[in-house]
Amino acid sequence: MKSFFKNKAILSGVFMMIFYQIIMIGVFTSGYSAVPKNIGNLSVAIVNEDKQYGMEFAKQLEQELPFQVQTDTDLKTAQQKLEDRDIHLIMHIPQDFTQKLSAPDQQVQLDYYINQSNPATTNSTVQNVVTQITEKISTQLQTSGIEGVLQNMKMSEVQAKEMAAGIVNKVQANVIDSNPQPAGMHNQMAPMFLTMSSYVGAMIYSMMAIGALNQLKGKLGKWKAFLSLQGTNAIISLIVPLIGLSIYFAIHGYGAGTFVHLWLLHALELFAAIQFTSIFCLLFGQAGMMLNLPFLLVQTIANGSVVPQVMMPGFYKAISHISVMFYTVQLDYNLLFGGGRSAVLLLGLSLIMVSALALNTVIHHFKPYTKLSPGDAPQPLFM
């Protein structure tokens, strides 16, 4: 037993176990602490079209709701922001809000718009908000405040009290969902797992590919080997996503058009992930995996599939802007369920890919190598 504890491989293995335990616990503790701590960062738009009590009521909600509240937008603009995930809930106060409050035989309908093409955390939060706001409305409308407003509308004090007391059942929540997700946890989590499976595969492949590059560049020449590797990477990126997507679509199909779009997206993601993870392997050889693995774990928070970007702690929000997984997850939401800003997200993913490829080219340029003569031994896998 003492011999094993003195063995360098055993000691290295123990170190790696401790290192990744610290990294994993640190990442998930710091990342998921944003829920529910940062729920107040979610945005709610209140669109009021009622020029009487609706104005007063909208002001009260703006002051009391624990969210980022927007009140200076029209319904059409708010709906586009909802589609783009810039806001997470729209509350629409109709033009006849005060009129229906005043009519004893009518109910008030408040419209709530929710974009279901979002992480489960966001959807469950806004659903709770709808319930809380509706209950809050019913409570507030029975206070002396609404009595005063009704009296100002030239009602008698007795009439105002009677109407305020009977208002509790007058308010109805009309929830309007856009981009609904199909039933099943496998659909809700599909953007995360489709993206992560490609990224993990790219990370492992890049370590082996850079090892092959180190072996072949002395034989083929520095740049011929590099360009051949990039051509191989492109072909692999086109072929490999077909396997995982075929399995997923066999369980739940979305149509041939969606399949093709997802295939091309994940081909781009895989090529970008190969380039991104190759940076550390080119710089540090096998030790680059010690950086790639923690960065993978960080992206499980920063990809936006569980915690939306607006709720992420600052470090994870910064990482999301350079995360291959973040852009791919958001585009998966758009392709599978619906959503906006696809062109912007696609541009972000493409820029990461081009930047990583350019950086790999620079690193490869400055990396020394020895040209082999016939009969020379090949270079080791990692240098």
Side-chain angles (χ1 to χ4, degrees):
M1 188 179 293
K2 287 183 179 180
S3 299
F4 278 98
F5 277 108
K6 292 179 180 179
N7 185 278
K8 289 184 178 181
I10 294 294
L11 293 176
S12 296
V14 172
F15 169 77
M16 294 297 289
M17 284 194 294
I18 295 173
F19 174 74
Y20 285 113
Q21 186 179 52
I22 293 171
I23 291 293
M24 288 190 70
I25 293 174
V27 165
F28 289 112
T29 301
S30 61
Y32 287 117
S33 66
V35 183
K37 184 173 65 176
N38 291 347
I39 281 180
N41 293 342
L42 294 178
S43 297
V44 176
I46 300 176
V47 179
N48 174 47
E49 296 178 350
D50 180 69
K51 303 302 181 184
Q52 299 182 61
Y53 180 65
M55 296 180 66
E56 178 66 26
F57 181 62
K59 288 180 182 178
Q60 291 179 7
L61 283 178
E62 184 179 5
Q63 294 172 358
E64 296 176 14
L65 284 176
F67 301 100
Q68 304 294 321
V69 179
Q70 300 179 21
T71 58
D72 56 348
T73 184
D74 58 81
L75 184 59
K76 185 177 180 180
T77 303
Q79 287 175 318
Q80 185 58 55
K81 288 183 177 181
L82 184 72
E83 184 78 359
D84 295 342
R85 304 184 185 92
D86 290 331
I87 60 175
H88 304 91
L89 174 67
I90 300 172
M91 176 184 172
H92 177 227
I93 302 174
Q95 189 174 2
D96 57 358
F97 181 69
T98 304
Q99 178 185 341
K100 287 189 174 180
L101 281 180
S102 307
D105 58 342
Q106 295 189 41
Q107 286 189 316
V108 180
Q109 181 172 285
L110 295 177
D111 296 325
Y112 297 91
Y113 295 83
I114 299 174
N115 181 4
Q116 291 290 337
S117 183
N118 270 300
T121 305
T122 305
N123 291 337
S124 62
T125 300
V126 295
Q127 290 285 1
N128 289 334
V129 170
V130 169
T131 302
Q132 291 172 12
I133 290 178
T134 305
E135 291 176 352
K136 191 176 188 66
I137 291 170
S138 297
T139 301
Q140 285 186 343
L141 292 180
Q142 294 181 84
T143 63
S144 57
I146 184 60
E147 292 179 21
V149 172
L150 295 174
Q151 288 179 45
N152 289 335
M153 295 170 61
K154 299 183 179 180
M155 289 187 182
S156 68
E157 182 178 349
V158 175
Q159 287 178 315
K161 283 186 177 181
E162 289 178 353
M163 185 169 294
I167 261 170
V168 63
N169 295 319
K170 289 179 67 68
V171 181
Q172 280 191 333
N174 177 40
V175 178
I176 303 168
D177 290 325
S178 61
N179 305 322
Q181 298 182 15
M185 195 72 174
H186 64 290
N187 290 305
Q188 191 176 81
M189 300 302 295
M192 177 179 180
F193 286 109
L194 289 174
T195 299
M196 184 175 288
S197 61
S198 293
Y199 192 93
V200 171
M203 182 178 66
I204 298 170
Y205 166 80
S206 65
M207 181 179 68
M208 299 177 178
I210 298 305
L213 175 65
N214 288 332
Q215 279 191 328
L216 295 173
K217 66 183 179 181
K219 179 181 178 181
L220 300 177
K222 188 171 188 175
W223 290 107
K224 185 176 180 180
F226 183 78
L227 292 174
S228 296
L229 175 61
Q230 299 311 324
T232 304
N233 291 343
I235 293 171
I236 288 172
S237 297
L238 280 170
I239 295 173
V240 170
L242 290 170
I243 301 171
L245 289 174
S246 296
I247 295 172
Y248 176 63
F249 271 67
I251 298 172
H252 193 115
Y254 289 87
T258 303
F259 182 89
V260 171
H261 287 137
L262 279 176
W263 168 46
L264 295 176
L265 167 62
H266 283 276
L268 177 62
E269 180 221 353
L270 189 57
F271 190 78
I274 290 171
Q275 298 305 321
F276 194 90
T277 54
S278 292
I279 294 171
F280 300 113
C281 294
L282 274 171
L283 286 172
F284 307 111
Q286 283 183 312
M289 189 60 74
M290 291 188 65
L291 296 174
N292 275 327
L293 277 172
F295 197 78
L296 167 67
L297 295 174
V298 168
Q299 288 185 89
T300 60
I301 306 294
N303 66 34
S305 62
V306 178
V307 180
Q309 189 181 46
V310 71
M311 285 178 58
M312 294 176 191
F315 170 73
Y316 296 93
K317 189 179 294 185
I319 291 295
S320 71
H321 292 292
I322 59 168
S323 166
V324 172
M325 289 179 63
F326 172 78
Y327 292 100
T328 309
V329 164
Q330 303 310 307
L331 285 164
D332 273 349
Y333 275 117
N334 288 1
L335 291 175
L336 291 172
F337 314 127
R341 296 199 310 160
S342 291
V344 174
L345 294 167
L346 190 59
L347 177 62
L349 179 59
S350 300
L351 287 175
I352 292 174
M353 182 269 291
V354 172
S355 300
L357 178 57
L359 187 54
N360 283 332
T361 304
V362 172
I363 295 170
H364 182 72
H365 173 72
F366 288 103
K367 196 96 171 174
Y369 87 108
T370 303
K371 188 172 183 178
L372 297 180
S373 301
D376 288 346
Q379 296 183 50
L381 282 177
F382 289 95
M383 294 183 64

